[in-house]
């Protein structure tokens, strides 16, 4: 049991970077540290890097010392044992992250999926505060999120709920990175926006000349080039951007009708760099759900930026360790 | 507080029929009565019919007498006050169903949306029994359902969650009866299957001759004619049927990825008359969600048939009146 005045450690472990922070009970980051993951050094190497990041945070932080750490990992997590079942970006299979880290650091450790941690962070300390029925969507290269219902996070039968990027957008449509076609992510994920742009350029090289010039070559066009082109008034980039707004709005309408949230929080790297998407999506969305759903709904921008994962992992760990959670996840 | 041995009354109030039943604690229907709604006689007339149906049930039932009634209504319900905000099939706006019925019958009354009641029934006493993370989908003229997460029904911000027929299937696609396009219901609802069939006949009258013969005319073709044609081996009816399976599977994959249920229960009039859909959809579905979602998932047929609403309304009322529910809904 954490004392109320005792901060908690939060770690956001991704395929390319590790963010660690000391987080107060009210979600403030008291000190933080960032380093490269270097996933190719394997489980023990990455664990060393996590431990170093945590040590760096603690050195920069005055007492009281935390004795609980939450770590969000980009992968499937067994939240009872703290084992990471599968983390493709780290090339991990069934790695006992929770127990190993707990032993190494002498802390209680709670392991959670990174997107779930960030969703939790936005709910408890960010743009979703005070709302019992919430949808959080993070748009980056991939698309993921979380659903809060009646004041509880929807976790799912195998702890995998929240894959909102793999809700349906166009049955039989674009191939996704998952086993299916037509997912929301296959239209609005960063990789998919780039793919749509390259296809549009191939279909009309003349219209695509501006984007090709930005990127150097047609096959190196990215979502960022589309954003830059849209800001500069490039017609093809504008069309692709507007289609992205429309796809995202359509997907969110369906999600809203299913779970009837009070609020949809939009975050992630794409929203950080194109915050205009929030107003555009709200405008495209709110007259399309069922009236009873639309009347209760707002769409807002995430508030915690790149710190959502660290704050969320710490806050989630505190929640799970306070004895009120359904499952015992301390290791 | 109901005594454990005391049964509960359940009423399923639809636009065309009223089903009432005395339901035991374990979900058995001890006596039941059915009559026409005759919605055109207005609120008081329908209320009389409900009261008569309840009286008929009670007369056929031995002691102990219930003192609690749950009523499921095809409309938007304020579950705190028991007011029906809007019920298009009954042409009701802001009718105080709960208080009026309670006074009239001398019973505690809990008012709930009819699809939610039926979802609750399948969860507590039907094909969803024992599962903490569940999706129930009812296919009829419309498509609706319910989501259970972590052992609690997802109710939503304005008590409207579960509109699974209005999740997205094809962005920008077929016009729905709701304010949106491309909803699941606009492809697999009974009205939509009929519409798709009529369009297919118009596009290829020769291929459609078999269906036209069944229906008497192209514009009277219904979903039932498609089913009959499919059973008889009619090629166009078979194509439409197979497309329905494919659409339904695609929509359910997206819903499964979002909320990660252990089980999807398929029920409603269409499933009652075409139970083969359950196996067909399961076969078309299970290799397409994310692996961690698919591994945890099964697709099964609803168990309570047309009694799901009565059993569910009674069981839900018992739940809401036992003091453990979050909101006080006794009127």
């Amino acid at each position: 049991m954490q004392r109320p005045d005792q901060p908690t450690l939060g770690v956001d472990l991704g395929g390319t970077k590790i963010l660690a922070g000391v987080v107060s009970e009210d979600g403030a980051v008291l000190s933080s540290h960032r380093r490269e993951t270097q996933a190719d050094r394997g489980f023990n190497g990455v664990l060393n890097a996590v431990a170093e990041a945590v040590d760096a945070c603690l050195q920069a932080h005055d007492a009281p010392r935390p004795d609980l750490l939450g770590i969000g990992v980009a992968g499937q997590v067994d939240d009872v044992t703290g084992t990471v079942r599968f983390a493709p970006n780290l090339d991990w299979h069934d790695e006992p992250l929770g127990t190993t880290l707990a032993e190494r650091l002498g802390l209680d450790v709670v392991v959670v999926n990174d997107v779930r941690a960030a969703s939790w962070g936005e709910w408890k300390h960010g743009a979703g505060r005070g709302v019992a029925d919430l949808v959080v969507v993070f748009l980056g290269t991939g698309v993921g999120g979380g659903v809060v219902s009646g004041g509880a996070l929807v976790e799912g039968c195998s702890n995998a709920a929240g894959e909102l990027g793999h809700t349906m957008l166009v049955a039989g449509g674009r191939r996704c990175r998952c086993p299916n076609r037509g997912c929301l992510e296959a239209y609005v994920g960063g990789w998919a926006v780039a793919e749509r742009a390259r296809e549009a350029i191939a279909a009309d090289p003349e219209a695509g000349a501006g984007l090709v010039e930005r990127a150097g070559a047609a096959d190196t066009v990215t979502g960022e080039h589309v954003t830059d082109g849209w800001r500069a008034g490039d017609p093809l980039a504008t069309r692709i951007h507007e289609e992205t707004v429309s796809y995202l709005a359509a997907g969110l309408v369906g999600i809203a009708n299913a779970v009837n949230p009070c609020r949809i929080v939009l975050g992630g790297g794409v929203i950080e760099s194109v915050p205009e998407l929030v107003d555009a999506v709200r405008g495209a969305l709110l007259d399309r759900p069922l009236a009873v759903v639309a009347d209760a709904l707002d769409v807002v921008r995430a508030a915690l930026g790149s710190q959502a994962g660290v704050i969320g992992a710490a806050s989630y760990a505190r929640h799970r360790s306070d004895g009120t959670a359904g499952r015992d996840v301390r290791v």
Side-chain angles (χ1 to χ4, degrees), chain A residues 1-2 8 67-71 77-85 96-103 107-113 116 120 153 155-156 158-159 312-331:
Chain A
M1 186 79 164
Q2 292 276 106
T8 307
D67 59 16
L68 174 66
L69 179 146
I71 180 166
V77 170
D78 182 329
D79 69 345
V80 177
T81 63
T83 296
V84 177
R85 290 183 201 137
L97 178 65
T99 46
T100 313
L101 206 55
E103 194 172 320
L107 298 164
D108 284 331
V109 172
V110 171
V111 183
V112 58
N113 170 270
R116 179 165 298 172
W120 182 275
L153 198 67
E155 300 190 310
S158 50
N159 198 31
S315 171
Y316 187 79
R318 190 182 280 268
H319 163 72
R320 296 307 284 256
S321 75
D322 78 354
T324 62
R327 312 182 196 185
D328 180 10
V329 292
R330 295 178 80 166
V331 291

Side-chain angles (χ1 to χ4, degrees), chain A residues 84-206:
Chain A
V84 177
R85 290 183 201 137
F86 178 45
N89 297 338
L90 296 163
D91 196 23
W92 286 4
H93 295 264
D94 296 318
E95 294 290 1
L97 178 65
T99 46
T100 313
L101 206 55
E103 194 172 320
R104 168 88 183 247
L105 297 172
L107 298 164
D108 284 331
V109 172
V110 171
V111 183
V112 58
N113 170 270
D114 62 339
V115 177
R116 179 165 298 172
S119 300
W120 182 275
E122 286 291 343
W123 178 33
K124 290 296 182 182
H125 301 289
R129 237 176 329 187
V131 166
D133 296 276
L134 179 73
V135 168
V136 184
V137 179
F138 292 102
L139 289 169
T141 298
V143 178
V147 175
V148 173
S149 163
L153 198 67
V154 173
E155 300 190 310
C157 187
S158 50
N159 198 31
E163 291 285 1
L164 303 178
H166 303 283
T167 53
M168 189 50 51
L169 190 74
V170 179
R174 300 182 66 84
R175 181 159 288 290
C176 192
R177 301 191 298 184
C178 83
N180 206 11
R181 288 183 165 276
C183 300
L184 179 58
E185 180 176 305
Y187 290 80
V188 305
W191 63 269
V193 173
E195 210 176 83
R196 285 168 41 221
R198 288 180 216 134
E199 288 172 15
I201 293 165
D204 187 347
E206 198 176 329

Side-chain angles (χ1 to χ4, degrees), chain A residues 235-262:
Chain A
L236 184 65
T238 301
R239 196 190 88 203
I240 293 164
H241 173 83
E242 286 172 355
E243 286 170 356
T244 301
V245 169
S246 169
Y247 288 138
L248 185 53
L252 294 178
V253 169
I255 293 167
N257 282 331
V259 298
N260 182 206
C262 308

